[in-house]
Amino acid sequence: MVRLTALSVLEHAGADGVEAVLGLSEDPVAGPAARMWLQGRDVDAEVPLRSDDDLTFALDSMSIAAEEDAEAFLSEFRDTATTNQIALVERMNLVRHSRRDSVLRVVAEGHPDERVASVARRSLGPVSRVRSS
């Protein structure tokens, strides 16, 4: 949530904001959000995206939505085909994000389609399976 708020503030800082975000583009935590944010800006330096930047950035928003209103989050999550939902949940395993497990937990515990919920439970690993049993 802090990353999204900071980027929102820097949006209004013009060239100084872009310069500040450029300085974060290689940061292990803020880098994915910074690189995604920079894609829509006029930047002198090329800042290419990395393979999972889009998902890491999306997890920032998904974690906020899932925490604020799990039912609304799941409703929106279910707007895509079930195969796409499963692929997204499986892909979440490949990224490091501090709130990834909280998103997976909401899907595992609240998704009405057992196929999607089951993939989310497997993604959480043995600790969560014991907890949800």
Side-chain angles (χ1 to χ4, degrees), residues 79-111:
D79 278 347
T80 63
T82 301
T83 54
N84 293 344
Q85 294 173 51
I86 291 170
L88 179 58
V89 170
E90 288 173 337
R91 193 170 161 223
M92 285 183 200
N93 274 334
L94 305 176
V95 298
R96 296 178 69 164
H97 191 282
S98 62
R99 304 289 297 153
R100 179 195 69 198
D101 285 356
S102 66
V103 173
L104 286 171
R105 199 166 292 110
V106 167
V107 175
E109 295 172 358
H111 201 291

Side-chain angles (χ1 to χ4, degrees), residues 14-83:
D16 290 337
V18 170
E19 190 64 34
V21 177
L22 273 170
L24 296 171
S25 66
E26 293 301 318
D27 184 83
V29 175
R35 290 186 294 272
M36 290 294 296
W37 186 86
L38 288 164
Q39 294 307 301
R41 307 307 176 290
D42 186 21
V43 180
D44 292 335
E46 185 176 332
V47 182
L49 292 177
R50 297 184 185 159
S51 64
D52 291 320
D53 282 352
D54 60 334
L55 179 57
T56 304
F57 186 66
L59 276 165
D60 286 340
S61 297
M62 289 192 300
S63 66
I64 294 167
E67 184 177 303
E68 288 181 356
D69 188 341
E71 286 183 35
F73 166 75
L74 287 170
S75 177
E76 186 174 325
F77 188 82
R78 292 176 22 231
D79 278 347
T80 63
T82 301
T83 54

